[in-house]
Amino acid sequence: MKDLVIIGAGPVGLACGIQAARHNLSAMIIEKGALVNSLVGYPTHMEFFSTAELLEIGGHPFPTLSTKPTRPEALKYYCRVADVESLDVRLYERVQRVDGTDNHFSVVTSKGAYPCRKVVVVTGFFDIPNFLNVPGEELPKVTHYYREPYPYAGQRVAVIGAKNSAAKAALECYHYGAEVNLIHRGNSLSDKIKYWIKPDIENRIREGSITVHFDTQVTSIEPDRLMLNGPKGTFSLGNDFVIAMTGYRPDYSFLETLKIAIQDDEFRTPFHHAETFETNRPGLYIAGTVCGGLRTSRWFIENGRFHAAQIMRHISTGTVEPLKLDQRYWKTAE
């Protein structure tokens, strides 16, 4: 029997595996997709907003060519760390439920069942988009995951949203020859857009290279157009592709399957102890971005990785210590 099973092999899940070993706890990490699966889904040439130092886990230095690491560099780094640490990782295996009680759990997956004493859920929030919930959203021309601009060259592209991801997608598509319309239900661009991105998107809008529609919502999506409702009423917009950068949310259905209580607050925060990260189900913990619920700007790799040491200390010794982070590990993002 393992001391614990960790559900999710993202950077914070890997950090949990490393800290488990350093607290003499045996651990298995189970992941429904690839190693660091959420990073696999990031834009192909994405740069992180943070420095390499703030993305490191296990004390392993993160070498990069420039100040801000790229997605390929991060993928290589985390794969290398998992290998060096000899982590027991089971990939492409979906957890279906967790049976039993504290010290006598059984994690049931698509491939088997694994007995363990404790369970740590590190499932993030990148798998489920915030859907528009409008007719036509299921059309193949609609995506909630932007990868790269090349498929949109010479096409009529609608980018929905007004934060970093939307601004980046709109700019990149424009620079590759797309006709870009930026659609946002609010009345301005987000003030959280990074300082080196915002002037570029503002200038492209000002000169008319990118058309922006504020206070506007998509009411339906058709094969060759969008139906919109804006300040002047309903209108249509010719369209070939929709990139909906509307954000993401935790998999609440899975959390409820695990019997994790969801608090009745505006962020639908999964219940957990502030220092130990143990949930209402004794012996079952959560870590990383999933801890913030819909408040997806609270926890990141940069600060979520420190949950690992808190959890393993509590499992191995039963002690509780305040989580202490200096201001470098707190940031505002989408």
Side-chain angles (χ1 to χ4, degrees), residues 12 15 53-56 300-308 329:
V12 178
E53 177 192 5
L54 300 182
L55 300 175
E56 291 174 355
F300 296 88
I301 300 170
E302 294 88 331
N303 52 22
R305 60 191 174 143
F306 295 105
H307 297 176
Y329 305 123

Side-chain angles (χ1 to χ4, degrees), residues 295-332:
R295 190 182 178 188
T296 53
S297 60
R298 177 167 174 75
W299 298 109
F300 296 88
I301 300 170
E302 294 88 331
N303 52 22
R305 60 191 174 143
F306 295 105
H307 297 176
Q310 297 288 114
I311 292 169
M312 300 312 152
R313 184 184 299 112
H314 187 248
I315 291 174
S316 62
T317 69
T319 59
V320 179
E321 293 186 16
L323 180 64
K324 296 179 180 179
L325 300 174
D326 72 39
Q327 290 302 309
R328 293 183 304 161
Y329 305 123
W330 295 97
K331 67 177 187 177
T332 300

Side-chain angles (χ1 to χ4, degrees), residues 79-242:
C79 287
R80 179 62 178 158
V81 169
D83 182 53
V84 168
E85 291 282 350
S86 300
L87 298 178
D88 182 0
V89 183
R90 313 295 174 92
L91 301 175
Y92 299 100
E93 185 167 354
R94 184 177 291 273
V95 173
Q96 297 171 336
R97 66 182 190 273
V98 175
D99 296 334
T101 57
D102 190 13
N103 291 311
H104 302 283
F105 286 121
S106 176
V107 178
V108 180
T109 76
S110 55
K111 297 183 180 180
Y114 305 96
C116 60
R117 295 197 306 110
K118 310 287 183 180
V119 176
V120 185
V121 180
V122 201
T123 49
F125 63 82
F126 194 61
D127 291 330
I128 300 180
N130 292 321
F131 290 106
L132 299 168
N133 295 316
V134 299
E137 190 170 9
E138 74 285 352
L139 289 172
K141 74 172 190 174
V142 181
T143 183
H144 291 82
Y145 295 92
Y146 172 74
R147 298 301 302 274
E148 54 190 7
Y150 318 117
Y152 307 112
Q155 302 298 295
R156 298 171 298 176
V157 178
V159 179
I160 302 174
K163 294 184 180 179
N164 278 302
S165 296
K168 288 272 288 185
L171 286 167
E172 289 187 2
C173 289
Y174 159 70
H175 286 301
Y176 277 83
E179 177 188 310
V180 179
N181 281 268
L182 186 65
I183 302 167
H184 181 43
R185 63 186 179 183
N187 59 14
S188 64
L189 296 172
S190 171
D191 59 4
K192 297 177 182 178
I193 295 177
K194 297 305 177 183
Y195 67 86
W196 61 92
I197 299 173
K198 197 168 186 180
D200 194 1
I201 187 71
E202 289 176 336
N203 287 335
R204 302 295 76 75
I205 291 171
R206 188 176 298 113
E207 71 187 16
S209 298
I210 293 175
T211 303
V212 66
H213 304 273
F214 289 129
D215 297 311
T216 300
Q217 297 196 45
V218 177
T219 57
S220 69
I221 302 171
E222 299 176 9
D224 63 348
R225 69 187 60 251
L226 302 179
M227 296 304 299
L228 306 168
N229 187 41
K232 296 183 179 180
T234 300
F235 64 103
S236 66
L237 185 68
N239 172 260
D240 299 307
F241 290 97
V242 176

Side-chain angles (χ1 to χ4, degrees), residues 230-297:
K232 296 183 179 180
T234 300
F235 64 103
S236 66
L237 185 68
N239 172 260
D240 299 307
F241 290 97
V242 176
I243 304 172
M245 298 286 91
T246 50
Y248 308 93
R249 62 176 56 211
D251 187 345
Y252 282 104
S253 295
F254 181 62
L255 297 179
E256 289 165 3
T257 297
L258 300 182
K259 301 182 178 65
I260 296 175
I262 306 301
Q263 298 182 60
D264 186 20
D265 60 21
E266 63 176 312
F267 301 114
R268 296 194 66 202
T269 310
F271 179 87
H272 62 281
H273 188 279
E275 276 80 38
T276 67
F277 298 93
E278 189 172 22
T279 69
N280 57 288
R281 190 173 178 185
L284 193 151
Y285 300 75
I286 58 175
T289 56
V290 71
C291 296
L294 296 177
R295 190 182 178 188
T296 53
S297 60

